[in-house]
Amino acid sequence: MIHEVDEGLRLLLVEAGLQESGVEIVFDAPTRDWSARRNAPTISVFLYDIREEVARRRTGTTEVYDGQGAVVGRRQPPRWFGLTYLVTAWTNRPQDEHHLLSEVLRALIRTDVLPARLHTGSLAELGLTVGIDAAGPGTDGPSAADVWSALGGELKPSIVLRVSAPLAGEQTSVGPPVTEGLVVRASAAVDAAEPGPGRRLRYTGVGDPGAEGFAAERDRLPPAVRRRRK
């Protein structure tokens, strides 16, 4: 899921026309060594914090169906996580960095959600909303100053970007549906050597269970005519 969010953010910035102007979009950590090797205008979208949104956790399972409508598995509900990115612009002049960072901010605040057309992989499969919040109020977690200190670099203008994304739940397979009747075997005594081959129970008038299986309606004798047990 994380790499799919990365790709969605990259496509969002590409749609804003940043890459067409010769700007590189990377997800590297903006360390001192990295900045020294940079030789082109660059946008760094650095992921530095991942936290589960516990209030959104749910229990239970949902059924998974195949093309014929049969249940083939059960899936746990998705769990939601908050991904926090540090977005920075890198050029040779502070004025150019500020202009580039302004264009990035404009692209990020156009919408509160990542457009569905930019979803890939499990995000597209789930079809759930992926929320984005650029430069919003701070929450629990490392501050931008703490991140810069850990990276060993100098503090510079940055956008704190928070993304709320679902991680698909685990899916477990289930056995195939029953398509044949029961087989009854009987022996003459408890200690008999081997029971007979057995007799398969089939409902009257139902040779092929069909699409409804053995849940299909079948003929039953009226209660008064049924054989009594001895």
Side-chain angles (χ1 to χ4, degrees), residues 20 74 100 121 227:
E20 295 177 0
R74 291 183 174 85
L100 186 55
R227 230 163 88 188

Side-chain angles (χ1 to χ4, degrees), residues 200-214:
R200 186 173 297 281
L201 299 182
R202 293 188 179 277
Y203 300 122
T204 304
V206 183
D208 179 3
E212 297 185 37
F214 285 94

Side-chain angles (χ1 to χ4, degrees), residues 4 7-17 107 110-111 113-121 123-125 127-130 132:
E4 295 161 356
E7 179 63 10
L9 294 176
R10 187 189 70 82
L11 294 174
L12 185 64
L13 296 178
V14 168
E15 284 191 352
R110 285 175 181 168
T111 177
V113 299
L114 187 67
R117 66 179 181 277
L118 306 183
H119 293 190
T120 59
L123 294 182
E125 180 182 348
L128 298 174
T129 300
V130 177
I132 58 177

Side-chain angles (χ1 to χ4, degrees), residues 5-84:
V5 173
D6 289 348
E7 179 63 10
L9 294 176
R10 187 189 70 82
L11 294 174
L12 185 64
L13 296 178
V14 168
E15 284 191 352
L18 293 172
Q19 202 169 44
E20 295 177 0
S21 58
V23 177
E24 295 183 5
I25 302 172
V26 301
F27 293 83
D28 302 331
T31 61
R32 188 185 299 273
D33 292 340
W34 174 85
S35 62
R37 296 193 304 269
R38 180 196 52 78
N39 54 15
T42 305
I43 295 295
S44 170
V45 187
F46 172 56
L47 174 65
Y48 69 87
D49 192 53
I50 304 171
R51 292 175 184 246
E52 183 180 3
E53 299 175 355
V54 181
R56 302 184 70 173
R57 187 184 296 182
R58 297 293 181 268
T59 58
T61 59
T62 56
E63 295 180 336
V64 181
Y65 301 89
D66 62 9
Q68 287 70 43
V71 177
V72 296
R74 291 183 174 85
R75 184 187 295 276
Q76 296 177 349
R79 292 170 68 168
W80 292 82
F81 290 84
L83 312 180
T84 308

